Amino acid sequence: MCLLGPGVVFIVRNSFDFASAISAAIESMGFINTVLLGTNLLYHRSALESAYGDIRFALQTAKSAANAEVLRNIKFLEKSTSFLFKGYTVFQSVVGTGYALTIPSLTLVHYTKTGQLPPLHGIFEADFFVFDYTTKFWLWVVIIVIGSFGMLCLISVLVIVSSFNWSLVHYLIGLFKMVHSRLSCLDDLTDQQSRQKELNEIVLLQELVYRCARTAENALNIFLLTQFGTCVVAICLTMMTLTLASNDRDLLIKMVLMLAYILFNIFVYSMLGQELISTSTSVADAAYGTRWYDWSLSEQRNVLFVVSRSQKMAALTTGKFFVVNRATFAATLQAAYSNFTILRQMLDSR
């Protein structure tokens, strides 16, 4: 309420300044997305905790009874998850810090070199204070410190919750790869009893992974719908601001950073969604590639279970409307650009 309420007032009050109003609207959509992200996690907390518990159980079981190839896959999964988390945290920190401190830093540098203050701006485009803090330098510094703390809180929420969501999908992808790897190694087991035991474990593991995938999809589909929907609007408005405020250096810097953040987030979810589809459907190929025709009837029945289940792909959706994959990312960019061209033509015709 402290951010959104005054932000709406700012948009209405500065409707004549189209670039500033659009910038404030984009920031407001970012605040709404942050609230939705945290609310969605809290609402589906128990289901997501259960899914993570199943994933930990699957990894512990695989570590105790897996072959060398599967153990290498588990080790790679843990390392890649750690690497992606660190990379995502660094990216969020760089973008957030740049968004918050680039303009104040440039202002201080200009003041130090020339002894004259340029026009003062806060971290956020909207004026969230009832008094004018742009007339006194030290008052502006205090407001920048307060705004930086607010930005730090927003970044923390985004990093924690987003990392929780995509790491869940990343683990599911790794478990599907593990099922694929264990199926590929079945031909190395010459003993029927050992092969039957391994097949039973594979069937149980595949069912567990699909159950976790359904939980993740149910927990994330509404959020992804709002994420991709607002991204279309935000990208369109950001491009409008970039074309309208070509002489406003500070606003251009903020919009470029905002555009990078938006594109990066939908790109991450699109690539994870594509990988989830590919790995879940590849299990059928691994099962069919075994020498199942030389096995017993009970073993063939288990292979049939694996193949029939993997024919229904595991996927993320945007509110049950569209599957999230690379094509969704391209369609989002195309829709944003189409809306931008239409809006630009409307403004040019006035």
Side-chain angles (χ1 to χ4, degrees):
M1 294 303 298
C2 292
L3 296 176
L4 291 177
V8 174
V9 174
F10 177 87
I11 294 171
V12 175
R13 188 177 61 189
N14 293 271
S15 57
F16 59 89
D17 187 355
F18 197 60
S20 297
I22 290 178
S23 177
I26 294 171
E27 289 178 346
S28 298
M29 284 190 290
F31 302 147
I32 293 173
N33 265 341
T34 305
V35 172
L36 291 175
L37 190 64
T39 304
N40 183 77
L41 180 68
L42 293 175
Y43 182 78
H44 296 284
R45 175 182 173 180
S46 59
L48 292 172
E49 285 181 347
S50 177
Y52 259 106
D54 289 340
I55 290 174
R56 286 195 297 268
F57 173 77
L59 291 174
Q60 291 172 358
T61 303
K63 285 180 180 179
S64 62
N67 55 34
E69 180 65 25
V70 175
L71 290 176
R72 282 194 294 270
N73 290 337
I74 295 175
K75 188 176 181 180
F76 175 79
L77 175 61
E78 293 174 345
K79 285 186 176 180
S80 61
T81 303
S82 177
F83 175 78
L84 289 174
F85 173 76
K86 293 176 181 177
Y88 183 78
T89 304
V90 170
F91 174 82
Q92 288 276 21
S93 301
V94 170
V95 173
T97 303
Y99 195 90
L101 299 181
T102 298
I103 295 174
S105 299
L106 292 175
T107 301
L108 292 175
V109 170
H110 184 275
Y111 180 62
T112 303
K113 288 183 176 180
T114 64
Q116 297 178 350
L117 279 176
L120 301 178
H121 299 284
I123 292 177
F124 303 109
E125 185 66 27
D127 182 2
F128 299 129
F129 302 92
V130 295
F131 52 87
D132 186 7
Y133 62 88
T134 61
T135 56
K136 296 182 180 180
F137 176 74
W138 292 110
L139 182 59
W140 172 79
V141 171
V142 172
I143 298 304
I144 290 297
V145 172
I146 296 174
S148 299
F149 177 75
M151 177 62 77
L152 177 62
C153 294
L154 290 174
I155 293 174
S156 300
V157 173
L158 289 171
V159 168
I160 293 170
V161 182
S162 296
S163 299
F164 185 92
N165 289 337
W166 63 250
S167 62
L168 173 61
V169 181
H170 182 66
Y171 271 115
L172 291 175
I173 294 171
L175 289 177
F176 275 119
K177 290 181 179 180
M178 191 185 305
V179 174
H180 185 283
S181 178
R182 295 181 71 169
L183 284 168
S184 301
C185 296
L186 281 176
D187 289 336
D188 298 334
L189 300 176
T190 57
D191 181 53
Q192 180 179 347
Q193 185 177 359
S194 300
R195 190 169 55 237
Q196 181 66 54
K197 180 182 177 182
E198 179 70 4
L199 266 172
N200 291 335
E201 293 180 358
I202 290 173
V203 170
L204 294 176
L205 175 61
Q206 187 190 28
E207 175 58 32
L208 183 147
V209 180
Y210 267 98
R211 184 170 67 247
C212 294
R214 289 191 297 268
T215 300
E217 197 280 327
N218 291 331
L220 297 178
N221 71 88
I222 298 299
F223 163 71
L224 289 176
L225 176 63
T226 59
Q227 183 84 353
F228 277 84
T230 54
C231 278
V232 172
V233 179
I235 292 172
C236 174
L237 294 181
T238 303
M239 294 172 66
M240 283 295 302
T241 307
L242 289 173
T243 57
L244 293 174
S246 57
N247 296 324
D248 191 338
R249 181 200 62 186
D250 296 344
L251 191 57
L252 287 175
I253 292 174
K254 293 172 69 174
M255 289 300 99
V256 169
L257 291 173
M258 180 66 72
L259 186 61
Y261 169 77
I262 294 170
L263 292 175
F264 178 79
N265 272 278
I266 62 173
F267 177 76
V268 167
Y269 281 109
S270 298
M271 296 307 295
L272 286 174
Q274 180 66 49
E275 188 70 11
L276 182 62
I277 294 172
S278 300
T279 54
S280 64
T281 54
S282 67
V283 172
D285 296 332
Y288 192 75
T290 61
R291 294 197 300 269
W292 54 268
Y293 42 83
D294 293 333
W295 297 347
S296 64
L297 184 61
S298 60
E299 292 172 305
Q300 292 179 5
R301 188 181 298 110
N302 282 335
V303 173
L304 180 61
F305 288 156
V306 171
V307 172
S308 60
R309 184 182 289 128
S310 61
Q311 288 176 344
K312 184 179 180 181
M313 65 181 183
L316 300 175
T317 64
T318 55
K320 307 292 185 181
F321 293 108
F322 305 102
V323 174
V324 177
N325 52 24
R326 286 195 296 265
T328 309
F329 178 73
T332 301
L333 297 182
Q334 184 178 6
Y337 182 75
S338 299
N339 293 330
F340 162 71
T341 55
I342 294 172
L343 188 58
R344 185 66 188 178
Q345 290 173 1
M346 292 174 60
L347 290 176
D348 292 340
S349 62
R350 291 184 178 182

